[in-house]
Amino acid sequence: MAVALSPEVADVPVLRLTSLAHGGGCGCKLAPSVLQQLLADQVETNPFRQLLVGTETGDDAAVWQLDEDTCVIATTDFFMPMVDDPYDFGRIAATNAISDVYAMGGRPIMALAILGMPLDKMPTHMVRDILKGGRAVCATAGIPVAGGHSIDSPEPIYGLAVIGTCRPDDVRRNSGARPGDALILTKALGVGIYSAAFKKQALPPSAYIEMIASTTLLNRIGSEFAQDESVHAMTDVTGFGLLGHALEMARGSGCVLVIRDREVPLFSEAVLLAEQGFVTGASRRNWASYGDAVLLPADMPEWRRHLLTDPQTSGGLLVACKRDRAAVLVEKIVAEGYASACVIGHVEPGAPAITVQ
């Protein structure tokens, strides 16, 4: 089935970008269990007083306090293509990378490009279009691509290192959720399922447009929430799926996150495609990594579970906030252009875990 390409690209590429990569998007991320093993022998004690956020809670970015009024937020994110349109690939990758700064409550100030391309397999005009897509998103975010680094690699890779700033009081970690909080998700799930269908040329054109609209929507609402005292914790939902990133929040906060399955927003074709078996290997790896810490309904079918472990590329924000403010915040999020935003659960006291109802 032919897939609609973005109007920004005049010439349809003959070469399928996704054919050059063994994986794509945030589905390329190492499984949570593998990452945990790699970091197991890292020193946990932080000798740097100014390092407010490091690797201790698996947060979205590092935060360094410069002075009483200013923190620097630093992050990097890159992956292989999940779409064939090079311009769209560049936009998705850039949006995803900038999201980490927003998830910490900051505002981005500049980016550096990370580029690895198999130049013996790709025409240079496709590489230029990837870079153009990334610059276009950065321009929308109001930041420059101020430099970067490139290598000749066997598979196409693109992303950004992003620098942002915020006030010390505005830093929002994934470890600040409190019992009684409501949980808000700002974007619908289904990116991994859509990308799996796309690779097999089974994704309808309208669904492709839906996926691109979501994955290129900046999570800039996060920087606004950082100035709201009722917002206690934030993280962006990416490669580990909703359950994986919710579990990081539960472990960092020392509490139970309860997710109401039927209230989780989904892409319009996500259920149908999941039922047909369009799921990623990353979804299975995710469940194998953290399934023992998740309590599911006894009658939940496997395809339904895949919706919750589906790796999101440039997904939405998971926000923990005071319950009595949740409705007002959702209204604000929707008004800012995140049409799928809704309350999907709450936080309870208890040993860190996820309960799906």
Side-chain angles (χ1 to χ4, degrees):
M1 178 178 295
V3 176
L5 295 176
S6 65
E8 293 88 345
V9 180
D11 298 320
V12 178
V14 175
L15 176 67
R16 292 197 72 186
L17 274 181
T18 52
S19 70
L20 300 177
H22 73 279
C26 285
C28 298
K29 290 177 71 169
L30 295 177
S33 58
V34 175
L35 186 60
Q36 190 173 29
Q37 293 174 29
L38 293 176
L39 298 177
D41 61 350
Q42 302 297 312
V43 178
E44 294 185 3
T45 303
N46 176 19
F48 300 97
R49 179 179 55 84
Q50 294 146 296
L51 183 62
L52 302 187
V53 182
T55 60
E56 59 278 359
T57 56
D59 231 311
D60 297 299
V63 181
W64 183 274
Q65 185 169 354
L66 285 178
D67 53 41
E68 292 182 357
D69 301 316
T70 310
C71 289
V72 172
I73 302 172
T75 184
T76 182
D77 215 318
F78 52 87
F79 45 64
M80 292 168 282
M82 52 182 282
V83 295
D84 292 327
D85 184 324
Y87 188 83
D88 282 349
F89 172 41
R91 290 197 296 156
I92 294 168
T95 306
N96 180 75
I98 296 170
S99 177
D100 288 341
V101 172
Y102 292 132
M104 299 303 300
R107 296 181 183 276
I109 58 173
M110 70 173 181
L112 304 174
I114 299 166
L115 182 70
M117 290 291 146
L119 295 179
D120 59 333
K121 301 175 184 176
M122 287 179 61
T124 55
H125 74 83
M126 292 181 70
V127 182
R128 287 198 301 269
D129 283 344
I130 293 170
L131 296 174
K132 286 179 183 177
R135 285 199 303 271
V137 165
C138 288
T140 301
I143 64 173
V145 179
H149 185 66
S150 60
I151 62 170
D152 187 359
S153 64
E155 294 181 295
I157 297 170
Y158 177 68
L160 300 175
V162 187
I163 304 298
T165 62
C166 71
R167 296 174 56 254
D169 290 343
D170 291 344
V171 175
R172 290 296 184 272
R173 304 185 59 163
N174 65 3
S175 56
R178 306 174 188 176
D181 279 354
L183 296 172
I184 298 171
L185 184 62
T186 64
K187 289 185 184 181
L189 304 181
V191 179
I193 290 167
Y194 272 32
S195 63
F198 177 83
K199 282 190 173 183
K200 296 183 179 180
Q201 297 183 297
L203 188 69
S206 59
Y208 181 85
I209 293 170
E210 180 185 22
M211 179 176 69
I212 296 300
S214 179
T215 54
T216 59
L217 177 62
L218 289 163
N219 281 324
R220 61 177 68 197
I221 192 73
S223 60
E224 297 181 34
F225 281 171
Q227 300 170 48
D228 190 325
E229 293 183 354
S230 70
V231 174
H232 299 147
M234 288 194 296
T235 190
D236 62 347
V237 178
T238 55
F240 298 160
L242 174 62
L243 293 183
H245 292 285
L247 184 58
E248 287 182 329
M249 183 177 286
R251 287 172 172 166
S253 305
C255 54
V256 178
L257 266 60
V258 179
I259 294 174
R260 297 189 289 274
D261 173 47
R262 297 295 172 176
E263 296 182 25
V264 174
L266 302 171
F267 282 175
S268 61
E269 303 289 333
V271 169
L272 178 61
L273 291 171
E275 288 179 319
Q276 293 175 351
F278 290 104
V279 297
T280 66
S283 179
R284 296 183 175 90
R285 292 193 298 272
N286 283 343
W287 180 249
S289 295
Y290 54 66
D292 57 350
V294 179
L295 179 62
L296 297 176
D299 59 349
M300 175 176 278
E302 183 179 22
W303 65 263
R304 188 81 195 180
R305 188 198 74 206
H306 279 302
L307 295 169
L308 303 180
T309 58
D310 186 51
Q312 303 306 288
T313 301
S314 190
L317 298 177
L318 179 63
V319 181
C321 67
K322 286 184 178 180
R323 189 178 300 224
D324 61 3
R325 285 275 297 162
V328 173
L329 292 179
V330 167
E331 185 177 348
K332 176 179 177 59
I333 300 169
V334 172
E336 291 286 339
Y338 308 83
S340 299
C342 61
V343 174
I344 64 165
H346 63 275
V347 182
E348 294 181 351
I354 303 296
T355 298
V356 179
Q357 297 179 342

